[in-house]
Amino acid sequence: MSFIQNPVQIITRKIVTPNQDLDIAYPVVVGMANQAVQHRINYQILALVHKVIVDQGYYREPRTTIQGWYEIKTNERGVLSLSIGNYAYTYMAAHGLTVIKSLTFDVQSGKNYELNELFKPGSDYVKVLSDMIRIQIKERDIPVLDDFQGIAPDQDYYIADKCLVIYFQLYDITPYVFGFPFFPICVYKIQDIIRENSPLDKMAINS
């Protein structure tokens, strides 16, 4: 079985304040035949961009500057997976802090999938993925702040190169100097628990 669907067209737009303390680049989907779906996708992207700006304290602390960017991780087979990154620095702080959040869409419906929606009900995906990550931590000799307790049911993730990439924010499980810990998991290793017709399922189909 094969799954062929052209990538969606993406352009870059920016949010820049007059004094440039806010300089955010974000993706916008254009040219879709279904304008309602296109609007749904773009609304969710922009909502996430604004949420991260708020969460990083831009409106609470007037001396905060934020630079933002994005990366397209997957744009094929009817799946659009992307990451939004923001680096915020507050005057006199020891250092800034980067936050990365992600969205994964079915481009036919415009639905954004949470992690649990990628897996069959009752599959205990949290334990399966946590065990795989625990092995990677040991094999890659990743320094952790405490014993790894496992992922959250709504853990951050994106899809790239036929892999589910689970990741954690700075300070969540590793020291700041380590950076973001990313854990790629091949879709074929978890194929038996993937929910049918989910974005992961589409990536697992050979073509």
Side-chain angles (χ1 to χ4, degrees):
M1 180 180 179
S2 64
F3 191 97
I4 300 174
Q5 183 163 332
N6 292 330
V8 296
Q9 184 180 351
I10 296 170
I11 63 173
T12 299
R13 287 189 179 156
K14 299 197 75 176
I15 302 171
V16 182
T17 53
N19 63 355
Q20 296 188 332
D21 61 353
L22 197 63
D23 188 351
I24 308 291
Y26 66 95
V28 176
V29 175
V30 297
M32 291 186 67
N34 190 325
Q35 288 291 294
V37 169
Q38 178 176 297
H39 174 77
R40 184 181 184 188
I41 292 172
N42 287 331
Y43 178 85
Q44 292 175 87
I45 292 172
L46 193 55
L48 178 61
V49 169
H50 283 296
K51 182 180 186 304
V52 175
I53 291 171
V54 171
D55 290 348
Q56 288 188 294
Y58 177 75
Y59 297 106
R60 294 193 309 270
E61 174 50 68
R63 293 178 296 179
T64 297
T65 60
I66 299 180
Q67 293 179 314
W69 64 94
Y70 70 91
E71 294 181 357
I72 303 300
K73 302 297 186 178
T74 294
N75 185 9
E76 61 175 325
R77 300 182 177 218
V79 176
L80 175 63
S81 190
L82 57 89
S83 291
I84 301 291
N86 274 16
Y87 173 80
Y89 176 77
T90 301
Y91 179 69
M92 295 294 288
H95 55 72
L97 187 67
T98 301
V99 170
I100 297 176
K101 304 300 287 186
S102 301
L103 297 167
T104 295
F105 296 103
D106 179 325
V107 301
Q108 291 183 309
S109 66
K111 175 178 172 54
N112 171 50
Y113 279 73
E114 299 293 335
L115 182 64
N116 69 291
E117 296 175 304
L118 301 176
F119 298 99
K120 297 174 182 177
S123 62
D124 202 8
Y125 71 95
V126 170
K127 182 181 186 305
V128 172
L129 299 179
S130 296
D131 288 347
M132 290 181 168
I133 290 171
R134 195 171 283 109
I135 291 171
Q136 286 196 37
I137 289 173
K138 183 177 181 180
E139 290 179 344
R140 294 162 56 189
D141 197 23
I142 295 174
V144 291
L145 297 172
D146 295 296
D147 290 340
F148 179 63
Q149 299 299 312
I151 68 168
D154 60 348
Q155 190 67 47
D156 289 317
Y157 83 93
Y158 58 81
I159 296 173
D161 300 325
K162 289 186 178 289
C163 282
L164 170 68
V165 181
I166 300 290
Y167 67 95
F168 296 81
Q169 300 299 322
L170 298 176
Y171 293 118
D172 276 358
I173 65 169
T174 54
Y176 177 83
V177 294
F178 181 82
F180 287 85
F182 296 94
F183 299 94
I185 297 171
C186 177
V187 294
Y188 300 116
K189 291 185 177 181
I190 52 175
Q191 196 164 9
D192 59 331
I193 63 170
I194 292 175
R195 188 191 297 258
E196 187 176 0
N197 295 322
S198 71
L200 267 188
D201 186 45
K202 293 177 181 179
M203 301 310 296
I205 295 172
N206 289 312
S207 60

